[in-house]
Amino acid sequence: MRDHGSSDGGRTRRRFLAATGAAATAGLAGCATLMASGDDFDVGMTAVAFDPPTLTVEVGDEVVWRNTSSRGHTVTAYEGVLPEDAAFFASGGYETEQAARDAYSNSLGGLIGSGETYAHTFDVPGEYEYLCIPHEQAGMVGTIVVEE
């Protein structure tokens, strides 16, 4: 029921609610940023880049990628340049680079949604180059350097 006795009271209440809502939204946005920048991943995925583009780890380390953007991404090893005896890796669990590319082309296979993660453990030293299939042409490639 509306109070017709005070026209200013309604405007004051609306201003208060608008200001409070804006402050709460700004506060929550800050919390979301803090949560997203936590230590629960090693490599973030922005609109068209891996961040950092190069990461150095030790043999046996697990690397976690988190999609920190609103776009879908993949993590797919460049199969032809893997270190000798190294395991191929791709989001979606594909066994070859071509299988990962085909799955993405046919049904968006291997796609990592916003906020989702993918992890791989590196057991062989060397340099591992990888890409995001839908954003490869935009330069979304990265390198994991595995040291003993």
Side-chain angles (χ1 to χ4, degrees), residues 127-138:
E127 276 195 18
Y128 295 75
E129 295 178 19
Y130 64 95
L131 68 135
C132 170
I133 294 171
H135 302 112
E136 179 183 21
Q137 294 302 314

Side-chain angles (χ1 to χ4, degrees), residues 47-106:
V48 289
F50 291 106
D51 183 25
T54 301
L55 178 68
T56 300
V57 299
E58 293 183 7
V59 169
D61 283 351
E62 178 182 71
V63 174
V64 178
W65 289 262
R66 177 176 296 279
N67 183 348
T68 56
S69 79
S70 59
R71 294 178 168 188
H73 296 291
T74 69
V75 173
T76 308
Y78 279 113
E79 189 172 15
V81 295
L82 287 172
E84 189 174 333
D85 298 325
F88 175 79
F89 62 96
S91 53
Y94 303 102
E95 294 184 14
T96 66
E97 182 180 344
Q98 191 58 53
R101 289 179 184 277
D102 290 346
Y104 179 79
S105 294
N106 293 332

